[in-house]
């Protein structure tokens, strides 16, 4: 023992940490198995045009149907998938399922799939996207890929080339969780995105005048760049009104609809939302 090793010192061999590491390893083993057995389900959350209430697209969101623990949300397994590299296989599975599901939806509905930065470096992303499209017969114009700033952080030159190849396939590219990073504005001009999704944290603070000012300039920039804008995580009618008055055309959030399983989405029938603000 070193002379500094007191009772508050970090001990790598503590039983608590060992238990945590064991749990994490079990989760990884179970996740690998679940991907293999295709026990990763895809839920869909619609994106609404605020002026008309029409559904314009649906976002594919992964859910793990665990044998004993029930439905596990992404917050619990996406970090494990990222750390272990399983996110590449998981991402390909979600992509393939979402494309197969999308052909069951009306032609004017796009399907959006989230991509991890690791899919740009750890797999053959362009091939996977082409395969998913060919396998399902989905028109490339109906697929949207959501990326975050993290894609620009590592291997940014190679990733940018991959992003350009993806766009040339005819799919659209959206920048997700916009505003939570450090240099968001510069990334907005680093690539010709089709869409930008304003992070929920902004929508949560939309009651403040500073937030309104920041969002106002983002809307201006997006219009200059010819980008469509989505407000994420809309929960209240007050937020809908503010978003609309700022000129943001699209909204997604539990106020309109939570993510739902495919069956429920198809039954719901892509009906217009009655919850948009009155023009
Ligand atoms: P995201 O892509 O930003 O997706 C939006 C998240 O916000 C979803 O959480 C959605 O359920 C939640 N959300 C939407 N509206 C509301 C609202 O009004 N209130 C609240 N409190 N939450 C709302 P979810 O499904 O738990 O997914 C969390 C994150 O996990 C996603 O954030 C995405 O980054 C990641 N993720 C999910 N599926 C995949 C996937 O297939 N691949 C990858 N790479 N990441 C995924
Ligand atoms: Mg997303
Ligand atoms: Mg987001
Ligand atoms: Mg997010």
């Amino acid at each position: 023992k070193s002379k500094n090793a007191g009772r508050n010192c970090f001990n790598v061999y503590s039983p608590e940490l060992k238990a945590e590491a064991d749990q994490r390893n079990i989760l990884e083993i179970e996740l690998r198995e679940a991907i293999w057995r295709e026990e990763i389900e895809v839920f869909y959350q619609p994106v609404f045009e605020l002026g008309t209430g029409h559904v314009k697209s649906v976002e594919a969101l992964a859910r793990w149907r665990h044998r004993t623990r029930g439905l596990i949300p992404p917050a619990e397994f996406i970090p494990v998938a990222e750390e272990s590299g399983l996110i590449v296989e998981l991402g390909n599975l979600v992509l393939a399922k979402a494309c197969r599901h999308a052909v069951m939806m009306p032609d004017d509905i796009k399907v959006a799939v989230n991509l991890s930065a690791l899919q740009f470096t750890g797999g053959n992303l362009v091939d996977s996207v082409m395969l998913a499209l060919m396998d399902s017969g989905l028109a490339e114009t109906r697929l949207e890929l959501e990326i975050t700033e993290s894609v620009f952080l590592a291997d940014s030159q190679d990733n940018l080339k991959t992003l350009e190849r993806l766009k040339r396939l005819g799919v659209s590219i959206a920048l997700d969780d916009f505003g939570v990073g450090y240099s968001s504005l510069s990334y907005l001009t680093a690539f010709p995105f089709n869409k930008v999704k304003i992070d929920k944290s902004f929508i949560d603070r939309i009651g403040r005048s500073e937030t309104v000012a920041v969002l106002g300039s983002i809307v201006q920039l997006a219009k200059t760049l010819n980008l469509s804008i989505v407000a994420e995580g809309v929960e209240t009618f007050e937020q809908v009104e503010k978003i609309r008055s700022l000129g943001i055309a699209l909204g997604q959030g539990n106020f309109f609809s939570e993510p739902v399983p495919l069956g429920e989405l198809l039954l719901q029938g892509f009906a217009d939302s009655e919850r948009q603000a009155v023009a």
Side-chain angles (χ1 to χ4, degrees):
K1 254 187 175 183
S2 89
K3 64 179 177 189
N4 290 327
R7 46 185 286 132
N8 294 323
C9 256
F10 182 77
N11 184 347
V12 281
Y13 300 111
S14 82
E16 289 83 4
L17 281 179
K18 168 124 184 5
E20 219 170 87
D22 285 348
Q23 235 179 358
R24 154 79 182 59
N25 290 338
I26 291 168
L27 204 65
E28 182 183 326
I29 291 164
E30 288 186 330
L31 181 60
R32 178 167 290 126
E33 226 172 76
I35 295 167
W36 174 249
R37 299 187 193 185
E38 301 202 0
E39 284 166 0
I40 304 298
E41 293 185 13
V42 186
F43 277 36
Y44 294 93
Q45 188 177 36
V47 173
F48 291 91
E49 187 170 59
L50 299 178
T52 60
H54 296 330
V55 178
K56 301 299 281 186
S57 60
V58 292
E59 178 175 6
L61 294 160
R63 299 286 182 270
W64 178 2
R65 179 82 61 187
H66 192 278
R67 280 177 303 242
T68 54
R69 293 172 57 198
L71 218 53
I72 305 181
E76 271 189 61
F77 66 86
I78 294 284
V80 176
E82 296 261 0
E83 285 164 31
S84 59
L86 285 171
I87 192 73
V88 176
E89 281 169 74
L90 188 147
N92 285 340
L93 179 58
V94 172
L95 180 68
K97 283 194 176 187
C99 289
R100 271 187 259 137
H101 292 165
V103 293
M104 297 180 230
M105 302 174 197
D107 299 340
D108 58 341
I109 306 282
K110 284 191 184 194
V111 68
V113 175
N114 292 286
L115 296 181
S116 156
L118 287 178
Q119 288 178 266
F120 282 77
T121 45
N124 208 332
L125 182 57
V126 179
D127 286 349
S128 301
V129 171
M130 282 171 60
L131 187 69
L133 289 170
M134 282 195 296
D135 240 29
S136 60
L138 184 73
E140 59 278 5
T141 50
R142 292 186 56 202
L143 180 63
E144 191 168 86
L145 301 172
E146 296 191 2
I147 65 153
T148 61
E149 288 182 7
S150 58
V151 166
F152 295 100
L153 296 179
D155 293 297
S156 65
Q157 280 316 313
D158 285 346
N159 288 359
L160 203 61
K161 283 207 185 86
T162 303
L163 207 54
E164 275 156 7
R165 286 178 63 203
L166 288 170
K167 202 176 178 201
R168 261 184 270 127
L169 290 180
V171 305
S172 12
I173 312 288
L175 183 58
D176 200 359
D177 301 344
F178 182 75
V180 291
Y182 294 103
S183 16
S184 298
L185 281 180
S186 63
Y187 292 130
L188 210 51
T189 55
F191 183 80
F193 290 102
N194 300 94
K195 182 184 270 184
V196 55
K197 301 187 78 175
I198 311 283
D199 193 72
K200 180 179 189 301
S201 56
F202 277 108
I203 310 308
D204 289 342
R205 291 183 270 119
I206 206 165
R208 298 197 211 160
S209 59
E210 309 92 86
T211 310
V212 171
V214 171
L215 285 179
S217 47
I218 293 171
V219 170
Q220 279 297 117
L221 180 60
K223 283 190 173 151
T224 308
L225 297 171
N226 211 3
L227 289 173
S228 62
I229 316 174
V230 184
E232 286 194 289
V234 179
E235 291 177 340
T236 69
F237 181 69
E238 289 67 38
Q239 291 173 339
V240 178
E241 285 183 309
K242 287 251 165 61
I243 288 158
R244 269 177 61 104
S245 70
L246 276 163
I248 297 174
L250 303 166
Q252 180 181 24
N254 295 349
F255 177 76
F256 303 106
S257 168
E258 286 182 16
V260 294
L262 176 70
E264 200 172 313
L265 182 81
L266 295 176
L267 273 176
Q268 239 166 249
F270 302 89
D272 290 358
S273 172
E274 284 152 19
R275 311 200 74 180
Q276 82 268 25
V278 185

